[in-house]
Amino acid sequence: MAHVLVVDDDDMVRNMQVLLLQVAKHEVTACEDYDTARDVLRASVQPGGKKIDLIVTDGEYPGDTRFKGTPHGGDSTNGSACLMQEVSALQIKAPVIMVTGNKGFFDNNPFPPECRQPDRIFQKASDEQRMLPRRINELIANPQLRL
């Protein structure tokens, strides 16, 4: 059983991902925004903190104003960039899967260089989304595997 952090501001999507992971017998911490996810990440690296084995995050959700003047400068959509910068700063090695409904957003707007890049990106409502449970299980079984 792995500990998976799920971050998505859409209740329906987040709840569906949590249910899929729980049915697969994984422990899940679900967050609806960047601030909550940041706190979970920070707690995970503290002595006695619950290690995160995998992160599944939406592509766009509220963050903060740290990337002003960049494509990720809008604090209403840059939560994933903020999250990835936090993952980098905390040196969290867990694989990261981004699930987004905005086709091409990440291709056209890569994260700033100080942010870790996602290991895999899935488009919501696409054939690729069906692969998500399999990819999650592969990453949990072999954390060094990058897709």
Side-chain angles (χ1 to χ4, degrees), residues 7-26:
V7 188
D8 200 308
D9 60 338
D10 183 316
D11 292 340
M12 186 176 76
V13 172
R14 185 179 63 253
N15 292 338
M16 183 173 40
Q17 290 174 340
V18 167
L19 182 61
L20 280 169
L21 289 162
Q22 288 175 333
V23 165
K25 307 288 187 224
H26 300 299

Side-chain angles (χ1 to χ4, degrees), residues 12 22-23 27 31 35 58 68-69 71 91 98-99 105 108 122 124 129 138-139:
M12 186 176 76
Q22 288 175 333
V23 165
E27 179 181 348
C31 301
D35 291 330
D58 185 16
K68 279 199 180 294
Q91 299 179 3
M98 179 182 291
V99 183
F105 173 79
N108 298 326
F122 285 92
K124 290 179 185 171
Q129 175 88 11
E138 288 173 356
L139 282 169

Side-chain angles (χ1 to χ4, degrees), residues 1-126:
M1 177 170 75
H3 181 209
V4 182
L5 174 62
V6 173
V7 188
D8 200 308
D9 60 338
D10 183 316
D11 292 340
M12 186 176 76
V13 172
R14 185 179 63 253
N15 292 338
M16 183 173 40
Q17 290 174 340
V18 167
L19 182 61
L20 280 169
L21 289 162
Q22 288 175 333
V23 165
K25 307 288 187 224
H26 300 299
E27 179 181 348
V28 182
T29 300
C31 301
E32 65 182 313
D33 57 36
Y34 163 70
D35 291 330
T36 307
R38 178 200 59 219
D39 293 345
V40 169
L41 289 172
R42 289 178 179 174
S44 76
V45 298
Q46 296 302 313
K50 180 71 177 151
K51 179 182 173 238
I52 295 171
D53 301 303
L54 178 70
I55 300 168
V56 179
T57 181
D58 185 16
E60 296 180 79
Y61 50 89
D64 60 29
T65 59
R66 74 179 73 184
F67 298 114
K68 279 199 180 294
T70 75
H72 295 283
D75 61 354
S76 65
T77 61
N78 76 352
S80 59
C82 295
L83 183 80
M84 294 306 290
Q85 188 177 46
E86 195 74 25
V87 167
S88 297
L90 295 171
Q91 299 179 3
I92 293 173
K93 304 297 183 210
V96 178
I97 296 176
M98 179 182 291
V99 183
T100 182
N102 190 345
K103 186 174 180 164
F105 173 79
F106 190 77
D107 294 335
N108 298 326
N109 302 292
F111 288 150
E114 65 270 23
C115 297
R116 181 172 149 198
Q117 305 302 304
D119 296 297
R120 183 74 168 124
I121 300 173
F122 285 92
Q123 298 294 322
K124 290 179 185 171
S126 75

